[in-house]
Amino acid sequence: MSSHKMEDKKTWSPESSSNPSAYEGDMGNVRRPFTRRLTESFRRDPHASVTRSASFSAADGKGYDAEAAAQATAMSPLLRRLKGRHLQMIAIGGSIGTGLFVGSGKALAYGGPASLLLSFALTGCMLYCTVQALGELAVLFPVAGSFASYSTRFLDPAWGFAMGWNYALNWLTVLPLEIVSASITVDYWVWVMPGGDRYLVDGDEQVQNISLNAAWVTMFLVLIVLINFFGVKGYGEAEFVFAIVKVTAVIGYILLGVLINVMGGVDSHGNPDASYMGFRLWHHPGAFHNGFKGLCSTFVTAAFAFAGTELVGLAAAETENPRKALPTAIKQVFWRITLFYVVSLLLVGTLVPYTDPRLLNGRNSADAKASPFVISIQNAGIEVLPSVMNVVIMISVLSVGNSSIYGSSRTLAALAEQCQAPAFLAYIDRKGRPLYAIIVASVLGLLAYLAATQKQQDAFNWMLALSGLSSIFTWSSICLAHIRFRHAWTLQGHSLDELAFRSPVGIIGSWVGLVFNMLVLIAQFWTGFAPVGWQQMSVSDRVVNFFQAYLAAPVVVLMYIGYKLYMKTEILRARDMDLFTGKREFNVRVLVQEERADRKRWPRWKKLYKFLC
C-alpha cells in the first residue's frame, strides 16, 4: 500500500461530511440572493469532492482494486443530517405499505389465515436476524451504498456489482410502479362517483377518461421528486410523517379489529352476523388452503411486504450518530414485526374468510378493493372507514415511491464511486445530494405514464417482476457478508469486545437468515413454475407467470458472471479483507463505562423503555 493511500485513510473520517458541508461553512456569513443560493447549491462542493486514489478498471490489466473501492465509498461526501427520530421511524414504519395492506389479501386467498400468519411471522424472524447483522456492519462501517460495498469488501467485487445494480434496478422500477399504484388507489373513489361515464373491458368496469390517471401520475411524481430535491433531510422528514400516519392507522385497525371480532362481523359465508367471531373462520372454511404450495406462495408475499427494512443500513451513511441511532432503530424492527404485522394479520384472518372473491378481484397490489383490511371494515357495515383506509394505502404508496428515489440514487452514486457505474452519477452537490443519480431516478419515473394506457396491467406486472426477488438477494448478501466479516475479524486478531455494536443473535442469526432466504428462493421457483391452479393454465400463461415470478434471478446471475469474466475478480480470502477503510474508531471500553454511568441516572420508566425500545 502506498504512503499516499495510507495518508488518505488516516486523515479522513466520517465526520468530515457532517452538517454543515464545507462549502456551507465557508459561505455561511455571506449574504446572497435566494436564486443565487439555489443555483450554487447544485454545483459540486469543492471541499467535499472525492479524489479517487487509484484506478480500478480492467484497462490497466490488474483487475478490480477492492481496496480503492472501499476507500471511495468510505470517503463519500454525503452529508450526515438524519437524526435518531428519522432513523427510528424509517425502521418502524419504512416497510409498512401495500404488501401488508393489499398484498396480504392475495396471500390469504392462496394460503388461508394460518399460512398467512405463519409466513409473515417466520419471515419477520428471519428479517430480524438480517437487520441485526446489518446493524453490526453499519455501525462499524457507515459507508455509502452499504449493501453493495459490504459484498464487494467481504465477498467478491463481482457479487458487489451484481448486488448494487440489483438493488438500484429494484428501486428504479419500484418508483413508476408505486406511482401507477397511487393513481389506481384514486380509482377507489372514482368508481363510486354517481353518474360517471364508464365502459366495459373484459367484463371489468373502468373509468372512461383514462387521462385522469395521467393527471394523478403527474401530481404524485412531482411531489416525490420535490421531496428528494430537498436533500436527505427532506426525505427524512417526509418519511417521519408518512410513518406516523401508517403506524397510527395500523394501531387504529388493531383496536377496531378487536371490537369487530368481539361485537360481531360476518359468518363463514360472508353474511352479517352480530356475534363473537373468535377463530370461527379458522374452522370453516379452514386455517390452511392449497396445502404446502399455498404456504410457499404466502412466503413470497411476506418477503415483498417486508422489502425496504434494509434502508436503515443505507441511511447510516447520512446519520449524525450511527453508533447511537442505529441500535435503537434496529430494536424497533421487533415491535413492527410483532405488533404491526403479526397482530394485524391475525385479526384479518379472523374477520375475512379466504373464500371471499374480492381478495382475488384486485387488478394489482394497490387496489384497495382487494385489501382484506378494507373488506373487513366493509363487512362490519362501517361506511366511512374504508375510504380512510384507502387514504392510508395511498400514503403508503407515496412513502415507498419516496424511498425508491432515495435508495436508488444513493446506490447509483456509490456504484459510480467504485467505478461500477458511469462516473457522472458520483456527482454530489453542495447540499450533499447525489444530483445526477436523483435526476436519472426521476426520469425513469416517467414510465408511470403507462398508467394512462390500456397496457397498464402488463406494465405493472413486468415492473413488479424486475423487483420481485431483489430483497431476497439483498438480505442473503447481508447475512453472508456478516458471516465472512466475523471470520475475517477473528482471523486478523480482533475480538468481539472491540465492536461498538454486536448483533445479539450473532453469526447463528446470520446463518438462519441466509438459509431461510435460500428456501424462499426455492419456494418462489416452485410456485413460479407450477403455481396454484397451474393445471388450468395454458403453456404460454405458465411461461409468462414463471418469468414474472423469477425474472430478477437470471438478471442477477448474468450481471455477476459477466462482470466477473470481464474484470477477472476473485472471491476474497478472509486474511486479505480490508477491515480498516471507513471504520468508525470507537474506544469501546470508555463508551460502555459512560453508558453505564448514564443509565444509573435514568428514572425507572426510561430504563424500561430503553430495554424494550
Side-chain angles (χ1 to χ4, degrees), residues 93-104:
S95 67
I96 298 177
T98 56
L100 172 65
F101 291 128
V102 184
S104 57

Side-chain angles (χ1 to χ4, degrees), residues 345-469:
L345 291 177
L346 174 64
L347 287 169
V348 162
T350 63
L351 298 175
V352 182
Y354 69 74
T355 54
D356 194 312
R358 289 172 291 180
L359 295 173
L360 291 175
N361 285 343
R363 290 171 288 167
N364 51 56
S365 65
D367 195 340
K369 294 181 292 297
S371 168
F373 290 78
V374 173
I375 292 172
S376 63
I377 297 173
Q378 289 175 334
N379 289 344
I382 304 174
E383 297 181 358
V384 177
L385 286 184
S387 291
V388 174
M389 184 57 69
N390 192 62
V391 172
V392 175
I393 293 172
M394 185 168 64
I395 290 175
S396 301
V397 168
L398 292 176
S399 173
V400 176
N402 184 41
S403 297
S404 66
I405 290 186
Y406 177 81
S408 60
S409 62
R410 269 59 182 181
T411 304
L412 287 174
L415 286 170
E417 290 287 358
Q418 300 174 78
C419 291
Q420 293 178 336
F424 76 92
L425 293 174
Y427 183 101
I428 297 178
D429 64 20
R430 289 167 171 172
K431 291 292 185 180
R433 297 168 296 207
L435 186 61
Y436 291 149
I438 291 177
I439 292 174
V440 168
S442 302
V443 169
L444 287 178
L446 296 176
L447 290 173
Y449 283 103
L450 290 169
T453 70
Q454 297 292 343
K455 297 295 183 181
Q456 178 194 92
Q457 183 63 50
D458 292 337
F460 190 99
N461 288 338
W462 285 108
M463 284 189 288
L464 187 62
L466 280 172
S467 61
L469 292 177

Side-chain angles (χ1 to χ4, degrees), residues 499-557:
L499 298 174
F501 171 72
R502 191 189 312 174
S503 169
V505 292
I507 197 171
I508 295 177
S510 295
W511 275 113
V512 169
L514 179 62
V515 172
F516 189 90
N517 277 296
M518 295 299 101
L519 292 176
V520 172
L521 284 176
I522 295 172
Q524 176 73 328
F525 184 89
W526 181 39
T527 56
F529 179 77
V532 173
W534 64 271
Q535 295 89 344
Q536 287 76 40
M537 298 174 63
S538 65
V539 175
S540 60
D541 288 340
R542 287 182 61 187
V543 171
V544 170
N545 181 81
F546 175 77
F547 278 102
Q548 287 183 346
Y550 224 73
L551 182 62
V555 172
V556 167
V557 172

Side-chain angles (χ1 to χ4, degrees), residues 31 93 132 158 176 202 216 223 285 332 357-358 380 425 428 525 580:
R31 290 184 174 273
Q132 293 291 343
D202 295 331
W216 287 113
L223 175 62
Q332 310 293 338
R358 289 172 291 180
L425 293 174
I428 297 178
F525 184 89
F580 180 82

Side-chain angles (χ1 to χ4, degrees), residues 546-587:
F546 175 77
F547 278 102
Q548 287 183 346
Y550 224 73
L551 182 62
V555 172
V556 167
V557 172
L558 288 175
M559 285 192 294
Y560 172 68
I561 295 177
Y563 193 83
K564 190 172 187 65
L565 293 176
Y566 180 72
M567 299 297 293
K568 300 178 177 62
T569 64
E570 296 180 355
I571 297 175
L572 296 173
R573 293 175 294 184
R575 64 174 178 268
D576 296 330
M577 292 180 187
D578 180 8
L579 301 179
F580 180 82
T581 305
K583 183 169 75 73
R584 293 292 294 263
E585 296 296 337
F586 297 109
N587 190 330

